[in-house]
């Protein structure tokens, strides 16, 4: 759903840029409460993982593909404010280095793909957890539904932006029907990927999943040589779900997985146009599309310039993208964390 230059007029793009900038500013403040020494490294990894998985277009209908948006995944793993920043970092790297998503449309893309998906997904996720049993399975189910709904919500947001400032005269009803229809299908893929990823982290380090911080495990007692659930009582009679693998091992495993996905598996991704590209071509939205300002980038279109072998070119571009994203994302999140530490220091609290 990366909106290129030329789809949306300049005034609307400027307003979307202001909205996106405001959302990022709010998220920078909110992320201070979400990030600590455990979650700051994970946030950078989440951004790199989203970048990698977005290279894996999967078929959803005849001649149409989709890919992860990532807002739900980021919000549930590291928190909604940090999630907005994760997806924004990915969109910035894609736009500047890979000519994916217009630079004048960056505000539109952040608003639609980072803000809307994260807000909708996390709102649905928290609402479902309030009515579902307090268990890991409930977290996985809530994750699936939240991710599924976040994608058509983003397509509705794009449709509204196009209605306000689209550069072509296409009936908004046709755009809405086509966008929502195809993105419901893409949402299923988003839900599967997101729930599997959250479930995997939940299985080994539930304490690192932001959305599962309220998940607690009953205290079990050994009675006559057998483990039994302790009687229901106050909060003090429950204990946090124990952690598994070390954070360093989880981080290294996640990075290796991201590199393999971007550097190798991406070669086998669907070559069909994604949902927005297909709708734009079918309905004529792309009549005034403009060449990307970074079209001459050495990494444009996810290939390394002057590397003739397509497999090697795409693989190298993917690996570079993961590396740049994890470094940029980690730098942002460590800076936010240090700001939080500075705000909480004795000198700033009057202690």
């Amino acid at each position: 759903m990366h909106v290129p230059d030329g789809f949306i007029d300049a005034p609307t793009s400027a307003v979307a840029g202001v909205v996106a900038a405001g959302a990022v500013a709010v998220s920078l403040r909110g992320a201070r409460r979400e990030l600590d020494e455990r979650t700051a490294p994970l946030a950078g990894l989440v951004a790199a993982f989203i970048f990698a998985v977005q290279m894996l277009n999967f078929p959803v209908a005849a001649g149409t593909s989709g890919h992860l948006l990532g807002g739900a995944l980021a919000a549930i793993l590291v928190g909604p404010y940090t999630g907005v920043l994760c997806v924004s970092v990915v969109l910035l790297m894609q736009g500047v280095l890979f000519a994916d998503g217009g630079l004048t449309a960056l505000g539109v893309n952040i608003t639609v793909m980072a803000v809307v998906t994260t807000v909708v997904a996390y709102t649905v996720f928290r609402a479902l957890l309030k009515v579902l049993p307090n268990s890991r399975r409930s977290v996985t189910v809530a994750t699936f539904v939240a991710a599924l709904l976040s994608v058509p919500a983003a397509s509705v947001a794009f449709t509204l932006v196009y209605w306000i400032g689209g550069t072509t005269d296409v009936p908004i009803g046709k755009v809405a029907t086509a966008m929502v229809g195809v993105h419901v299908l893409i949402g299923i893929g988003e839900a599967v990927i997101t729930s599997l990823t959250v479930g995997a982290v939940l299985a080994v380090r539930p304490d690192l999943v932001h959305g599962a911080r309220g998940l607690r495990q009953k205290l079990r007692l050994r009675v006559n040589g057998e483990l039994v659930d302790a009687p229901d009582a106050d909060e003090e009679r429950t204990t946090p779900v124990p952690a598994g693998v070390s954070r360093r091992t989880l981080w290294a495993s996640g990075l290796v997985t991201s590199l393999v996905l971007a550097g190798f598996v991406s070669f086998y991704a669907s070559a069909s146009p994604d949902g927005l590209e297909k709708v734009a071509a079918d309905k004529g939205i792309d009549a005034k599309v403009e060449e990307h300002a970074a079209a001459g980038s050495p990494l444009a279109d996810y290939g390394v310039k002057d590397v003739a072998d397509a497999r090697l070119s795409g693989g190298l571009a993917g690996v570079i993208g993961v590396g740049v994203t994890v470094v940029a994302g980690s730098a942002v999140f460590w800076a936010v964390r240090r700001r939080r530490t500075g705000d909480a220091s004795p000198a700033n609290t009057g202690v």
Side-chain angles (χ1 to χ4, degrees):
M1 201 183 292
H2 294 75
V3 180
D5 296 318
F7 275 25
I8 308 299
D9 62 28
T12 306
S13 295
V15 172
V18 172
V19 172
V24 169
V26 170
S27 297
L28 285 169
R29 293 184 62 86
R32 296 181 198 172
R33 300 190 297 271
E34 295 173 345
L35 293 170
D36 54 29
E37 69 280 357
R38 297 180 307 162
T39 56
L42 180 62
L45 177 62
V46 168
F49 182 78
I50 290 173
F51 175 91
V53 180
Q54 283 196 1
M55 294 182 66
L56 308 181
N57 281 48
F58 48 85
V60 296
T64 309
S65 69
H67 62 70
L68 184 82
L69 297 186
L73 177 64
I76 294 167
L77 283 180
V78 293
Y81 295 107
T82 308
V84 170
L85 298 179
C86 282
V87 182
S88 297
V89 167
V90 173
L91 293 173
L92 180 61
M93 296 299 102
Q94 290 170 331
V96 172
L97 298 179
F98 297 90
D100 188 11
L103 296 184
T104 62
L106 183 60
V108 174
N109 284 321
I110 289 177
T111 300
V112 171
M113 295 178 65
V115 179
V116 171
T117 58
T118 300
V119 170
V120 170
Y122 200 71
T123 300
V124 172
F125 177 80
R126 297 309 307 179
L128 287 174
L129 287 188
K130 290 181 179 180
V131 299
L132 292 173
N134 189 25
S135 67
R136 291 188 186 183
R137 179 173 297 180
S138 295
V139 173
T140 304
V141 170
T143 296
F144 186 95
V145 176
L148 172 62
L149 295 179
S150 70
V151 178
S155 72
V156 170
F158 166 78
T159 303
L160 291 174
V161 173
Y162 174 80
W163 182 43
I164 295 170
T167 56
T168 54
D169 187 16
V170 179
I172 192 63
K174 292 184 178 180
V175 176
T177 301
M179 285 293 293
V180 174
V182 71
H183 284 91
V184 166
L185 299 177
I186 295 173
I188 296 173
E190 178 103 10
V192 171
I193 295 170
T194 303
S195 59
L196 288 176
T197 304
V198 171
V201 179
L202 196 62
V204 295
R205 285 302 299 262
D207 59 311
L208 294 182
V209 179
H210 183 276
R213 288 186 176 178
L215 180 66
R216 303 182 74 83
Q217 183 181 51
K218 270 192 172 183
L219 179 66
R220 307 198 75 193
L221 304 176
R222 186 173 295 276
V223 179
N224 297 326
E226 296 183 0
L227 286 174
V228 298
D229 288 339
D232 291 334
D234 297 330
E235 185 74 10
E236 288 76 10
R237 288 180 179 253
T238 60
T239 56
V241 179
V245 301
S246 69
R247 294 198 304 270
R248 182 174 298 179
T249 299
L250 177 65
W251 194 91
S253 299
L255 181 60
V256 170
T257 300
S258 300
L259 291 170
V260 170
L261 292 175
F264 177 73
V265 180
S266 62
F267 182 77
Y268 301 97
S270 173
S272 299
D274 66 24
L276 176 59
E277 292 172 335
K278 179 65 173 176
V279 171
D282 289 347
K283 305 301 180 184
I285 297 175
D286 60 355
K288 296 185 179 181
V289 67
E290 301 173 1
E291 184 179 25
H292 200 287
S297 166
L299 299 173
D301 297 324
Y302 298 94
V304 177
K305 188 177 181 180
D306 297 329
V307 175
D309 185 270
R311 185 190 298 267
L312 179 60
S313 177
L316 286 175
V319 168
I320 293 170
V322 168
V324 171
T325 303
V326 76
V327 170
S330 297
V332 169
F333 299 125
W334 276 110
V336 173
R337 176 181 173 269
R338 286 175 62 86
R339 181 67 179 271
R340 169 188 173 176
T341 303
D343 291 345
S345 64
N348 290 329
T349 59
V351 177

